[in-house]
Amino acid sequence: MLNIDIECRRGIFFVRLNGILNNETIYKIKEEVLDIIQINGIKYLVFNFEDLCYIDTSGIKLLKKISKSIKNNYGNIYVCGIKSNIVRNKILNSNILEYIKEINGELSILKQMQL
């Protein structure tokens, strides 16, 4: 099961995930996040993984796809709050951090962009 909390603040799209991001749940991200990015030309996206307890290779591939959409809008994608060792290991063992920047927390991006 995956719950998604979405917020747009100061031009930054925040996506907070709670649960499991795998082959059975990625459709929710595709429907709720990817479409919004493509339709609205979102430039800055922050994924908060604080409450994400698992991610598989299909979740990693989806993050790469989302990253490409953000890059097409001349923006950046960030991830923060990785608490789960399983999620941390999956991310480190993939090359996803070549596409996504890791930040300390949601407030970090606001300070970094001076918003």
Side-chain angles (χ1 to χ4, degrees), residues 11-102:
I12 302 170
F13 195 55
F14 293 91
V15 179
R16 298 171 193 98
L17 302 181
N18 182 325
I20 297 171
L21 181 57
N22 63 14
N23 192 44
E24 295 176 12
T25 60
I26 60 172
Y27 74 92
K28 290 182 84 172
I29 300 284
K30 288 179 181 177
E31 290 174 357
E32 295 183 37
V33 176
L34 194 55
D35 288 347
I36 291 172
I37 291 168
Q38 293 170 341
I39 292 168
N40 296 301
I42 301 294
K43 289 180 131 182
Y44 303 104
L45 174 73
V46 177
F47 274 107
N48 187 325
F49 286 175
E50 191 171 319
D51 296 318
L52 187 69
C53 54
Y54 183 79
I55 187 170
D56 70 1
T57 55
S58 60
I60 297 287
K61 288 178 185 176
L62 180 60
L63 293 177
K64 287 180 185 177
K65 183 176 183 176
I66 291 170
S67 174
K68 288 178 184 177
S69 291
I70 294 289
K71 295 288 182 195
N72 287 341
N73 294 338
Y74 303 101
N76 290 309
I77 184 172
Y78 304 89
V79 64
C80 69
I82 304 170
K83 288 186 175 178
S84 164
N85 288 333
I86 295 169
V87 173
R88 165 88 44 210
N89 289 335
K90 283 282 190 182
I91 287 175
L92 291 176
N93 290 328
S94 71
N95 62 348
I96 193 68
L97 291 179
E98 293 176 20
Y99 304 91
I100 297 175
K101 299 174 184 179
E102 186 173 5

